[in-house]
């Protein structure tokens, strides 16, 4: 039975049909350690828009994945607030800003185009934090850390992977050179303030392997969980995808 779910993202709605076996095989050819690249391929197959995954925020991408996995596992109930409330929170789209200003610094959304590049160059959680900052910060960093003006431009999804990579590498060098006891902490505080205001759909974190979805727990328990693009497959399709990985 074909199942199709339509979900509302920040600025557009997306229909999520069942993934075809051809689509699954195409995704399986991408090495499993590149989950963000696999996720981009999944969104491209489901939407029919190859560029959509790069334009979406990282949170929107995982919101699509969680909804699609729940639907294809036949656990989705249209009467529920969400396909998996354990990992998602209710979002009023109009309340989510496009960007946040902290002084002369701007914190932008983390985009799919960013995370696909980041997973190819980040080796640990420190790389992921600094890499996300490199992608999301623009404006004058000196308004937070002091000193001479350091003005960064936003990194739009229209940039190529190589252009995004070059910008990240340059910004990596700058952030890595900041004082660990003052300037770096000040910049992280401003970044965290901004990203908290940009939160939507799912709460993302990162570990040494990449982005994680933070599960809600009792008494402050927050368990990081990783969702892989083809985890919902079963039977012959799952065995075939595993062989191709």
């Amino acid at each position: 039975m074909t199942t199709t779910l339509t979900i509302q993202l920040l600025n557009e709605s997306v229909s999520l049909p069942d993934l075809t076996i051809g689509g699954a095989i195409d995704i399986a050819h991408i090495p499993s350690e590149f989950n963000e690249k696999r996720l981009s391929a999944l969104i491209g197959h489901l939407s029919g828009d190859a560029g959509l995954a790069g334009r979406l925020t990282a949170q929107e991408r995982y919101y699509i994945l969680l909804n699609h996995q729940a639907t294809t596992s036949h656990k989705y109930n249209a009467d529920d607030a969400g396909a998996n409330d354990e990992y998602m929170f209710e979002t009023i789209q109009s309340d989510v800003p496009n960007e946040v200003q902290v002084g002369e610094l701007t914190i932008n959304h983390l985009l799919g185009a960013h995370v696909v590049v980041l997973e190819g160059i980040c080796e640990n959680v420190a790389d992921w934090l600094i890499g996300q900052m490199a992608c999301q910060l623009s404006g004058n960093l000196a308004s937070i850390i002091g000193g001479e003006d350091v003005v960064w431009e936003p990194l739009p999804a229209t940039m190529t992977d190589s252009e995004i990579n070059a910008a990240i590498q340059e910004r990596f060098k700058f952030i890595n050179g900041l004082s660990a006891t003052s300037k770096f902490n000040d910049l992280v505080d401003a970044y965290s303030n901004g990203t908290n205001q940009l939160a939507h759909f799912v709460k993302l974190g990162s570990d040494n392997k990449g982005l994680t979805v933070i599960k809600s727990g009792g008494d402050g328990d927050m368990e990081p969980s990783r969702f892989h693009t083809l985890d919902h497959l079963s039977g012959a399709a799952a065995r075939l995808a595993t062989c191709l990985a």
Side-chain angles (χ1 to χ4, degrees), residues 1-19:
M1 180 178 67
T2 300
T3 304
T4 301
L5 169 70
T6 299
I7 61 173
Q8 180 62 47
L9 303 176
L10 290 181
N11 297 306
E12 56 188 303
S13 61
V14 176
S15 295
L16 306 179
D18 286 345
L19 180 67

Side-chain angles (χ1 to χ4, degrees), residues 37-55:
K37 191 171 183 179
R38 280 188 165 195
L39 182 49
S40 289
L42 172 70
I43 293 171
H45 281 292
L46 296 178
S47 68
D49 182 350
L52 177 63
R55 301 192 304 268

Side-chain angles (χ1 to χ4, degrees), residues 141 145 150 152 169-178 187:
L141 278 66
I145 62 175
V150 178
W152 287 355
Q169 298 293 349
E170 187 64 29
R171 295 177 182 191
F172 252 91
K173 294 177 184 177
F174 178 83
I175 295 174
N176 280 327
L178 294 177
L187 192 60

Side-chain angles (χ1 to χ4, degrees), residues 52-69:
L52 177 63
R55 301 192 304 268
L56 295 178
T57 69
Q59 290 92 335
E60 287 178 304
R61 289 156 55 89
Y62 277 90
Y63 185 59
I64 288 174
L65 178 60
L66 286 165
N67 273 286
H68 186 256
Q69 289 187 348

Side-chain angles (χ1 to χ4, degrees), residues 6 74 156 189:
T6 299
H74 305 289
D189 287 345

Side-chain angles (χ1 to χ4, degrees), residues 133-188:
M133 292 170 65
C135 292
Q136 291 181 258
L137 298 181
S138 62
N140 191 1
L141 278 66
S143 67
I144 303 299
I145 62 175
E148 297 181 0
D149 287 353
V150 178
V151 179
W152 287 355
E153 296 297 326
L155 304 184
T158 53
M159 295 176 69
T160 66
D161 286 357
S162 60
E163 289 171 336
I164 293 174
N165 181 51
I168 291 172
Q169 298 293 349
E170 187 64 29
R171 295 177 182 191
F172 252 91
K173 294 177 184 177
F174 178 83
I175 295 174
N176 280 327
L178 294 177
S179 166
T181 57
S182 57
K183 292 185 177 182
F184 178 73
N185 291 337
D186 291 343
L187 192 60
V188 171

